[in-house]
Amino acid sequence: MRETERKAARAYREQFGEDPELVASAPGRVNLIGEHTDYNGGFVLPCAIDRRIAVALGTGGRGGFETRPYQTRLYSADFEETRQLDEKDSSWANYPRGVVWAMGEAGHEIGEFRAAFAGNVPLGSGLSSSAAIEAATALVLNAFFGLGVGRTDLAIICQRAENDYVGVGTGIMDQYASLLCEAGAALLVDCRSLDAQSVPLDLQAAGLALVVCDTRVERGLADTGYNDRRATCERAAKMLGVEELRDATEGDLDLLSGAELMRVRHVISENARVLKAVEALRDGEFDEFGRLMYASHVSLRDDYEVSTPELDTFVEKAEQHGARGARLTGAGFGGCAIALVSEDETDAFTDACERAFGRNGFGKPAFYEFVPAAGAEIAD
Ligand code: GLA
């Protein structure tokens, strides 16, 4: 078992007085390229990170000492608090609640249970802690109640939880990444057909490290311009008479102006970059891959307007340090950026970034190095 899984199991034992019957965990993700394309029916290329949220589950406490009536309870070891299933608030518990709700909507019967959660995905920083808790919950409930739902459908259930229960109009990328990524690989997802293919990503063999900078500029998706960007895309698709912006072409740009023009230009160019990036990875062309990352950042900064001074500073520093590529990752508006850096340069690079943040009066960033990790798993 991983440390987070042991922690969830321990918390379960302490809270509910017996061993859990199942333990599962699911990872956060970084997106290598393909930003704000998922809800436009386009392409994304995320990989899972070795930070996970674990859940231990059972019917613990039915045995007698428990107060009646028996109710599903959710416990978080990180927040050290218990929440009921059938209340809605604005806490972490809305994610597992949303999954139970969405499973019910999909016709799957979920009985009473007890669950304890523990994790080490940084929260609210764009590494998809919410998808991780949703995916872990969906996978463990699916196994525990013998529902036999496949991973693709579990991801759709998790997205439904996020969209219609939590109320953030995210695309499918994060839930797909958390449930379907494989260790040592990125995942190319066609967000229209929902086909997904693993693309091998052996950074170590190329002498590279994936450095993630958490700018610590917190962003709850519901509070940012995320839903607004999505609405603009939908409006632009209507104006162009296409079902989704995936179908828009460069020729269509002449028909648009203002915000619509800028957002659509990003989506069209970003989709093309993802496909080129996958080719580059398959050919081991990391220079080309990195060039596409930088281009993605410029497009997100200037056309999609979701960057921040912190994210831009990180990318500028990466360029000055000769990183192969760098870009903001996830929704933007704060959160994280990534860079592909030579393995032996990472310390010098992160030190330089930290100094630049200090000089600019920004908060102290956190840095992580990730290798592409496994998707959601039931623990042995
Ligand atoms: C967030 C959403 C994803 C995706 C990205 C932007 O992470 O959850 O669905 O839209 O933003 O690419």
Side-chain angles (χ1 to χ4, degrees):
M1 271 200 197
R2 299 173 169 93
E3 179 48 34
T4 45
E5 295 165 346
R6 276 199 296 271
K7 193 170 167 200
R10 222 166 29 237
Y12 186 95
R13 243 173 259 125
E14 282 162 19
Q15 290 300 311
F16 306 126
E18 57 189 45
D19 284 338
E21 285 168 63
L22 274 179
V23 177
S25 69
R29 62 97 190 91
V30 290
N31 188 19
L32 298 172
I33 196 160
E35 221 64 84
H36 292 279
T37 45
D38 60 352
Y39 53 83
N40 288 304
F43 301 102
V44 295
L45 189 68
C47 66
I49 57 175
D50 41 10
R51 292 296 189 103
R52 305 177 76 89
I53 294 185
V55 53
L57 192 119
T59 52
R62 267 193 201 285
F65 70 90
E66 190 54 51
T67 52
R68 307 277 162 176
Y70 181 85
Q71 277 177 323
T72 291
R73 284 218 224 142
L74 309 167
Y75 174 76
S76 162
D78 302 312
F79 292 97
E80 296 183 350
E81 63 180 21
T82 303
R83 303 258 170 180
Q84 305 290 349
L85 183 75
D86 49 8
E87 283 164 17
K88 193 172 173 185
D89 48 34
S90 54
S91 75
W92 59 273
N94 277 357
Y95 298 102
R97 287 173 180 142
V99 170
V100 171
W101 171 82
M103 284 192 149
E105 291 291 294
H108 305 298
E109 204 168 316
I110 305 294
E112 300 289 338
F113 64 89
R114 296 283 159 95
F117 297 87
N120 60 7
V121 186
L123 303 179
S125 62
L127 296 174
S128 287
S129 52
S130 56
I133 188 170
E134 289 159 3
T137 306
L139 193 73
V140 82
L141 290 175
N142 186 44
F144 190 68
F145 291 106
L147 307 177
V149 181
R151 284 182 181 240
T152 305
D153 288 326
L154 288 180
I156 293 170
I157 285 172
C158 291
Q159 186 197 11
R160 178 100 203 266
E162 180 109 23
N163 291 173
D164 297 338
Y165 188 89
V166 181
V168 185
T170 58
I172 191 79
M173 168 167 71
D174 307 341
Q175 292 80 10
Y176 238 68
S178 192
L179 279 153
L180 287 135
C181 277
E182 292 175 12
L187 189 75
L188 170 64
V189 185
D190 175 333
C191 298
R192 169 174 283 171
S193 67
L194 294 183
D195 282 344
Q197 284 173 37
S198 279
V199 183
L201 179 61
D202 190 348
L203 293 173
Q204 267 158 341
L208 294 172
L210 180 63
V211 174
V212 178
C213 169
D214 180 353
T215 60
R216 300 265 182 90
V217 178
E218 272 208 34
R219 27 155 301 280
L221 280 187
D223 305 327
T224 64
Y226 185 89
N227 285 349
D228 167 70
R229 293 294 183 287
R230 189 171 179 153
T232 307
C233 288
E234 281 162 12
R235 203 165 53 238
K238 266 209 193 93
M239 288 163 71
L240 295 174
V242 293
E243 192 197 330
E244 292 176 303
L245 289 185
R246 158 81 172 267
D247 304 309
T249 61
E250 281 186 18
D252 289 332
L253 296 176
D254 296 339
L255 305 170
L256 300 169
S257 61
E260 282 81 11
L261 169 64
M262 289 156 72
R263 311 300 184 242
V264 176
R265 194 161 53 200
H266 166 74
V267 173
I268 293 175
S269 62
E270 185 76 352
N271 276 328
R273 279 188 290 272
V274 177
L275 298 180
K276 282 190 198 148
V278 169
E279 255 173 59
L281 271 193
R282 290 195 168 128
D283 297 343
E285 297 282 352
F286 283 98
D287 284 341
E288 171 66 0
F289 188 82
R291 193 190 63 74
L292 293 160
M293 288 173 75
Y294 282 128
S296 168
H297 184 79
V298 169
S299 179
L300 286 160
R301 183 191 66 199
D302 298 345
D303 273 347
Y304 221 70
E305 297 184 296
V306 292
S307 192
T308 63
E310 291 85 352
L311 294 164
D312 291 341
T313 298
F314 174 82
V315 172
E316 270 159 35
K317 279 285 141 199
E319 241 169 331
Q320 285 165 13
H321 263 258
R324 304 294 178 94
R327 56 185 289 280
L328 71 83
T329 185
F333 307 103
C336 288
I338 53 175
L340 271 188
V341 186
S342 292
E343 251 168 357
D344 47 6
E345 288 279 320
T346 56
D347 287 346
F349 167 57
T350 54
D351 287 350
C353 280
E354 204 170 316
R355 282 196 301 273
F357 270 53
R359 272 197 308 276
N360 290 345
F362 302 156
K364 195 170 152 52
F367 295 100
Y368 312 104
E369 269 180 55
F370 293 130
V371 286
E377 285 174 352
I378 300 283
D380 295 331

